Amino acid sequence: SSLLLMSGVVVTVGLCRRLARRRLRSRPHLFAFLVEMFSTFQICACTNELSLLGSVEPKPHTALTLTYGFTVLHGLTLAGSTCNPCGILQPMSGGRTSLRMGGLKIAAQFVAAVLARVFMHFIWSLEMAEPHFGALSQGCSSPMQTTEVQAFCIELLFSVVFQLAVLRAESVNPKYRVHLIALLITMLVYAGGNLTGAIFNPALAFSLHADCFYDKFLSYSLVYWIAPCFGKFLILYVF
């Protein structure tokens, strides 16, 4: 049921992106907003569902295999979308994207994060699959299983590694690049998923753990918003 749900999200988002591409080419700002929103919604909704499958046996092989598979699927179906506020910083700082367009895309990503959370909570309330039982009663299922300083350093390091790999992989054939990025994300999740969740995406972090941001806004914004953005700035101005 979970796999059918995530596949349905991918197919629906693909149809919405195609419809927007056909009908809204003459309105670039609305087109950019909707495409970024649809794409981020797909990643957030699927990752919300994947987070429930982490305890499926055999652990952690099932969760890591699904992470790799759906990361490849996202890469193949969401070409041209960033889906990460940190990824907007580079074209904005280089002047390739205007401040207005960049802000519009970041807004679209956080709107999608909220919509994906609301949608998945509605799906979980229907209890169509075993992992959905009791999912809504967890509240703040904190992914931070270490100190704030260590969590900040881990998310910062993972953001630097990921963003640097993306830049280095730009010259690689796209059909191979998708698998390389998916493999890297899977390795990072394996290495730090039990400590911070290995998210390094502010919009995705908010979609997954909004309750934790409400309870401990300062610590969670420091680890899951500021650390990834700081990592991106390190890539831009140091490397």
Side-chain angles (χ1 to χ4, degrees), residues 186-198:
T186 305
M187 292 172 61
L188 293 178
V189 170
Y190 177 72
N194 62 323
L195 297 175
T196 65

PDB file of all heavy atoms in Angstrom, residues 186-198:
ATOM      1  N   THR A 186      21.908   7.933  -0.073  1.00  0.00           N
ATOM      2  CA  THR A 186      21.690   6.702   0.690  1.00  0.00           C
ATOM      3  C   THR A 186      22.822   6.470   1.680  1.00  0.00           C
ATOM      4  O   THR A 186      22.581   6.070   2.837  1.00  0.00           O
ATOM      5  CB  THR A 186      21.576   5.503  -0.265  1.00  0.00           C
ATOM      6  OG1 THR A 186      20.542   5.755  -1.229  1.00  0.00           O
ATOM      7  CG2 THR A 186      21.238   4.237   0.492  1.00  0.00           C
ATOM      8  N   MET A 187      24.054   6.736   1.280  1.00  0.00           N
ATOM      9  CA  MET A 187      25.201   6.570   2.179  1.00  0.00           C
ATOM     10  C   MET A 187      25.126   7.557   3.341  1.00  0.00           C
ATOM     11  O   MET A 187      25.427   7.207   4.484  1.00  0.00           O
ATOM     12  CB  MET A 187      26.499   6.752   1.398  1.00  0.00           C
ATOM     13  CG  MET A 187      26.778   5.647   0.384  1.00  0.00           C
ATOM     14  SD  MET A 187      28.203   6.013  -0.675  1.00  0.00           S
ATOM     15  CE  MET A 187      29.508   6.123   0.544  1.00  0.00           C
ATOM     16  N   LEU A 188      24.724   8.803   3.062  1.00  0.00           N
ATOM     17  CA  LEU A 188      24.614   9.801   4.126  1.00  0.00           C
ATOM     18  C   LEU A 188      23.503   9.429   5.103  1.00  0.00           C
ATOM     19  O   LEU A 188      23.651   9.609   6.320  1.00  0.00           O
ATOM     20  CB  LEU A 188      24.352  11.183   3.521  1.00  0.00           C
ATOM     21  CG  LEU A 188      25.495  11.781   2.695  1.00  0.00           C
ATOM     22  CD1 LEU A 188      25.098  13.123   2.109  1.00  0.00           C
ATOM     23  CD2 LEU A 188      26.756  11.932   3.539  1.00  0.00           C
ATOM     24  N   VAL A 189      22.388   8.929   4.567  1.00  0.00           N
ATOM     25  CA  VAL A 189      21.295   8.491   5.438  1.00  0.00           C
ATOM     26  C   VAL A 189      21.757   7.336   6.326  1.00  0.00           C
ATOM     27  O   VAL A 189      21.442   7.283   7.522  1.00  0.00           O
ATOM     28  CB  VAL A 189      20.069   8.074   4.594  1.00  0.00           C
ATOM     29  CG1 VAL A 189      19.023   7.387   5.459  1.00  0.00           C
ATOM     30  CG2 VAL A 189      19.460   9.296   3.912  1.00  0.00           C
ATOM     31  N   TYR A 190      22.516   6.425   5.755  1.00  0.00           N
ATOM     32  CA  TYR A 190      23.036   5.290   6.538  1.00  0.00           C
ATOM     33  C   TYR A 190      24.012   5.769   7.607  1.00  0.00           C
ATOM     34  O   TYR A 190      24.016   5.268   8.742  1.00  0.00           O
ATOM     35  CB  TYR A 190      23.714   4.290   5.609  1.00  0.00           C
ATOM     36  CG  TYR A 190      24.336   3.120   6.327  1.00  0.00           C
ATOM     37  CD1 TYR A 190      23.542   2.124   6.891  1.00  0.00           C
ATOM     38  CD2 TYR A 190      25.724   3.008   6.455  1.00  0.00           C
ATOM     39  CE1 TYR A 190      24.109   1.052   7.559  1.00  0.00           C
ATOM     40  CE2 TYR A 190      26.296   1.944   7.121  1.00  0.00           C
ATOM     41  CZ  TYR A 190      25.482   0.963   7.671  1.00  0.00           C
ATOM     42  OH  TYR A 190      26.045  -0.100   8.339  1.00  0.00           O
ATOM     43  N   ALA A 191      24.836   6.766   7.250  1.00  0.00           N
ATOM     44  CA  ALA A 191      25.870   7.239   8.175  1.00  0.00           C
ATOM     45  C   ALA A 191      25.299   8.078   9.308  1.00  0.00           C
ATOM     46  O   ALA A 191      25.751   7.962  10.456  1.00  0.00           O
ATOM     47  CB  ALA A 191      26.920   8.041   7.409  1.00  0.00           C
ATOM     48  N   GLY A 192      24.329   8.935   9.014  1.00  0.00           N
ATOM     49  CA  GLY A 192      23.851   9.860  10.043  1.00  0.00           C
ATOM     50  C   GLY A 192      22.368   9.866  10.283  1.00  0.00           C
ATOM     51  O   GLY A 192      21.876  10.685  11.060  1.00  0.00           O
ATOM     52  N   GLY A 193      21.652   8.957   9.640  1.00  0.00           N
ATOM     53  CA  GLY A 193      20.205   8.947   9.804  1.00  0.00           C
ATOM     54  C   GLY A 193      19.757   8.693  11.226  1.00  0.00           C
ATOM     55  O   GLY A 193      18.730   9.214  11.668  1.00  0.00           O
ATOM     56  N   ASN A 194      20.531   7.916  11.986  1.00  0.00           N
ATOM     57  CA  ASN A 194      20.165   7.608  13.368  1.00  0.00           C
ATOM     58  C   ASN A 194      20.532   8.734  14.329  1.00  0.00           C
ATOM     59  O   ASN A 194      20.147   8.691  15.503  1.00  0.00           O
ATOM     60  CB  ASN A 194      20.847   6.317  13.826  1.00  0.00           C
ATOM     61  CG  ASN A 194      22.355   6.437  13.806  1.00  0.00           C
ATOM     62  OD1 ASN A 194      22.927   7.082  12.921  1.00  0.00           O
ATOM     63  ND2 ASN A 194      23.015   5.805  14.762  1.00  0.00           N
ATOM     64  N   LEU A 195      21.253   9.754  13.847  1.00  0.00           N
ATOM     65  CA  LEU A 195      21.670  10.867  14.702  1.00  0.00           C
ATOM     66  C   LEU A 195      20.861  12.133  14.444  1.00  0.00           C
ATOM     67  O   LEU A 195      20.418  12.791  15.391  1.00  0.00           O
ATOM     68  CB  LEU A 195      23.161  11.160  14.498  1.00  0.00           C
ATOM     69  CG  LEU A 195      24.121  10.038  14.890  1.00  0.00           C
ATOM     70  CD1 LEU A 195      25.543  10.417  14.530  1.00  0.00           C
ATOM     71  CD2 LEU A 195      24.003   9.727  16.383  1.00  0.00           C
ATOM     72  N   THR A 196      20.678  12.472  13.168  1.00  0.00           N
ATOM     73  CA  THR A 196      19.940  13.700  12.839  1.00  0.00           C
ATOM     74  C   THR A 196      18.855  13.470  11.791  1.00  0.00           C
ATOM     75  O   THR A 196      18.090  14.388  11.508  1.00  0.00           O
ATOM     76  CB  THR A 196      20.900  14.781  12.296  1.00  0.00           C
ATOM     77  OG1 THR A 196      21.452  14.337  11.032  1.00  0.00           O
ATOM     78  CG2 THR A 196      22.030  15.060  13.264  1.00  0.00           C
ATOM     79  N   GLY A 197      18.809  12.297  11.208  1.00  0.00           N
ATOM     80  CA  GLY A 197      17.895  12.060  10.102  1.00  0.00           C
ATOM     81  C   GLY A 197      18.534  12.288   8.756  1.00  0.00           C
ATOM     82  O   GLY A 197      17.981  11.889   7.730  1.00  0.00           O
ATOM     83  N   ALA A 198      19.713  12.948   8.741  1.00  0.00           N
ATOM     84  CA  ALA A 198      20.444  13.224   7.497  1.00  0.00           C
ATOM     85  C   ALA A 198      19.520  13.857   6.459  1.00  0.00           C
ATOM     86  O   ALA A 198      19.298  13.320   5.381  1.00  0.00           O
ATOM     87  CB  ALA A 198      21.083  11.952   6.952  1.00  0.00           C
TER      88      ALA A 198
END
